[in-house]
Amino acid sequence: MKIAFPHMGNAYIPLKGLVEELGLEAVVPPRPSQVSLRRGALHSPEFVCLPFKVTLGDCMAALDQGADTLAMVCGMWACRFGYYGRIQHLILRDLGYEFESVLVGREEVEEVLAKLKGAVGRGWRRKLVRALAFFRAKARAVDELERMATWTRPREAVRGMADRVLGEYLAGVDAASTLGETRKRVEEARQAFRSIPLTGEPVARVRVVGELYVLLEPALNLDLVRRLAWNCRVEARPVLSTYRWLLHPVWLDPRLNLESYRARRKVRPYLPQVLGGEEHMTLAGALTARGDGFDGLIHALPLTCMPENICRTLLPDLCRKLDLPLLTLVFDEHTSTAGLDARLEAFTDLLVSRKGARRGIGNGPGREAFPHFLARGTQGIVSPRGRASPPQDF
Ligand code: SF4
């Protein structure tokens, strides 16, 4: 079995680990790009949400690379994600591709297990337990590396150092063949991140909430987190993570399910219904942003996303009450970097002004508190006060 799955951020690392630990071959398509997006969009219904188009392009690339099985997780039936796998596979078969489908969803458990048993052969239960442990360890490792990079990127003295470390150790985690080796790579990465010189300047922090795929796939959100870190020196933290997306549906980390339950309870006064997406995390993320030390909120969603468009109507009023600056970004295949940069720059200006004013620096916008902000756009800003203060997040 040559099994393939669409991309979403760095999720391919644990998924590949899982498949290979089962003794099967993983086919990883190239990273999503304008080419794969255009290819997917060409064969997708016009008004379907953007992740459908990108993941369809990924599936086509994987089949061209020789995959004979496509795996897809089916979500709840309330939002379109529940139909992704089925509709995409119908489209691909109409296009003449021949392959096996593995649709991991609520109704498919026995069917999925039967296919797995057939492919893995004797001892499939034992192999599955080992593979799941490996999958979890790699997902956690990827999550930790991404967190360290997110913290370091806006504070690094020379642009690109955090990403160099991230790339090196993600490759190390991908290549790790044991649990111990995976853990060792994370510890080494921790040391490497700690050795990166920092500017020592304060940075504004924003929480990014919204649709899962747009939050976690840089090719889709035009590299939002990195763009904010490099161009605006803002630490942008998505409220969702690859780790959460991978482990939550299979209950491999019950804390995630508990967190989800708590979030749903918290947002019930604002949204009593379940919409089928990550709407509870979006609203709960907004409600807790101030308490978690964030200066603003970015709501990112694909055009025509059903649950997030409902959140979009709720968030302005909620954020006004919370005194939390809000920026809404809607992505589709026509979104350009020029328009995005202008909006991020204006939003950062607002955040920095408010943050500076709260610190009582000057009467005006308070930008004096952020000298690096005044030098925004320059490559590798090294502050005269530059020093490597210990990261607080790792
Ligand atoms: S959450 Fe939104 S973008 Fe994602 S599948 Fe559902 S409707 Fe589409």
Side-chain angles (χ1 to χ4, degrees):
M1 191 185 259
K2 290 182 177 178
I3 192 158
F5 32 81
H7 272 290
M8 194 187 68
N10 292 312
Y12 74 93
I13 295 176
L15 286 170
K16 184 168 161 247
L18 173 80
V19 170
E20 289 179 348
E21 197 61 27
L22 286 169
L24 309 173
E25 190 180 328
V27 178
V28 181
R31 295 277 314 139
S33 62
Q34 279 302 315
V35 176
S36 58
L37 172 57
R38 246 180 267 130
R39 233 182 136 195
L42 188 67
H43 300 288
S44 301
E46 188 188 354
F47 271 89
V48 77
C49 28
L50 191 57
F52 184 99
K53 299 173 185 174
V54 186
T55 49
L56 182 64
D58 281 353
C59 291
M60 292 167 86
L63 290 168
D64 291 342
Q65 268 179 241
D68 57 24
T69 306
L70 288 183
M72 186 74 185
V73 177
C74 298
M76 289 181 59
W77 296 106
C79 101
R80 293 186 193 112
F81 187 57
Y83 298 96
Y84 268 32
R86 285 162 195 259
I87 307 273
Q88 285 179 336
H89 292 191
L90 276 175
I91 292 173
L92 291 167
R93 289 200 173 99
D94 279 354
L95 288 172
Y97 288 108
E98 287 177 11
F99 59 94
E100 276 289 321
S101 295
V102 178
L103 298 171
V104 184
R106 290 168 189 226
E107 299 91 345
E108 312 279 347
V109 177
E110 287 99 33
E111 218 175 303
V112 170
L113 285 179
K115 282 179 188 168
L116 190 73
K117 209 165 136 186
V120 177
R122 280 166 67 88
W124 69 275
R125 280 198 187 83
R126 184 178 38 80
K127 285 186 193 164
L128 181 62
V129 171
R130 267 179 58 90
L132 286 174
F134 205 52
F135 169 68
R136 186 188 147 127
K138 287 209 173 193
R140 184 179 285 280
V142 168
D143 190 50
E144 285 189 48
L145 296 185
E146 284 175 350
R147 276 170 185 277
M148 291 188 253
T150 305
W151 191 93
T152 311
R153 217 178 268 126
R155 297 171 172 88
E156 64 193 356
V158 180
R159 180 191 282 195
M161 291 188 80
D163 278 283
R164 265 199 296 281
V165 172
L166 178 67
E168 183 186 333
Y169 287 95
L170 279 178
V173 168
D174 188 22
S177 53
T178 61
L179 291 177
E181 207 182 316
T182 307
R183 275 194 293 271
K184 198 167 161 224
R185 290 293 94 81
V186 176
E187 281 317 306
E188 288 167 359
R190 205 181 305 282
Q191 296 311 320
F193 274 112
R194 281 185 177 156
S195 67
I196 294 177
L198 306 177
T199 62
E201 307 289 357
V203 300
R205 298 180 75 227
V206 295
R207 174 168 274 169
V208 192
V209 296
E211 199 271 338
L212 182 89
Y213 200 83
V214 163
L215 247 56
L216 301 179
E217 179 47 63
L220 214 74
N221 62 33
L222 304 179
D223 227 349
L224 180 65
V225 172
R226 202 171 276 111
R227 197 170 280 277
L228 275 163
W230 281 354
N231 297 351
C232 308
R233 293 273 171 173
V234 168
E235 179 189 343
R237 287 233 170 231
V239 75
L240 301 171
S241 65
T242 310
Y243 178 76
R244 186 191 148 77
W245 182 72
L246 290 171
L247 273 76
H248 180 260
V250 285
W251 283 78
L252 276 181
D253 187 344
R255 280 175 314 151
L256 299 174
N257 301 77
L258 186 64
E259 189 191 37
S260 224
Y261 168 75
R262 285 193 180 134
R264 287 216 183 270
R265 214 172 47 180
K266 201 175 192 67
V267 306
R268 209 169 288 149
Y270 307 92
L271 187 66
Q273 297 85 5
V274 175
L275 306 178
E278 300 288 345
E279 67 284 350
H280 56 299
M281 295 304 287
T282 297
L283 296 181
L287 288 169
T288 54
R290 270 259 172 265
D292 292 342
F294 290 97
D295 305 300
L297 191 79
I298 292 184
H299 183 213
L301 66 151
L303 185 77
T304 79
C305 172
M306 296 145 70
E308 293 304 327
N309 268 306
I310 293 173
C311 293
R312 194 181 169 189
T313 62
L314 298 170
L315 279 174
D317 201 34
L318 194 62
C319 287
R320 204 171 299 121
K321 283 184 189 142
L322 295 166
D323 187 29
L324 189 68
L326 168 71
L327 174 67
T328 303
L329 299 173
V330 181
F331 291 88
D332 72 357
E333 58 265 46
H334 306 295
T335 309
S336 79
T337 52
L340 181 66
D341 279 339
R343 301 189 66 197
L344 293 181
E345 208 169 294
F347 189 59
T348 309
D349 215 343
L350 170 78
L351 295 184
V352 165
S353 300
R354 285 169 54 103
K355 199 171 164 103
R358 270 209 309 275
R359 286 164 171 235
I361 301 165
N363 302 321
R367 292 167 88 196
E368 300 81 353
F370 298 84
H372 57 275
F373 180 75
L374 300 174
R376 192 176 49 204
T378 58
Q379 288 266 339
I381 306 150
V382 183
S383 153
R385 286 188 279 139
R387 64 193 154 83
S389 52
Q392 294 148 11
D393 203 36
F394 53 92

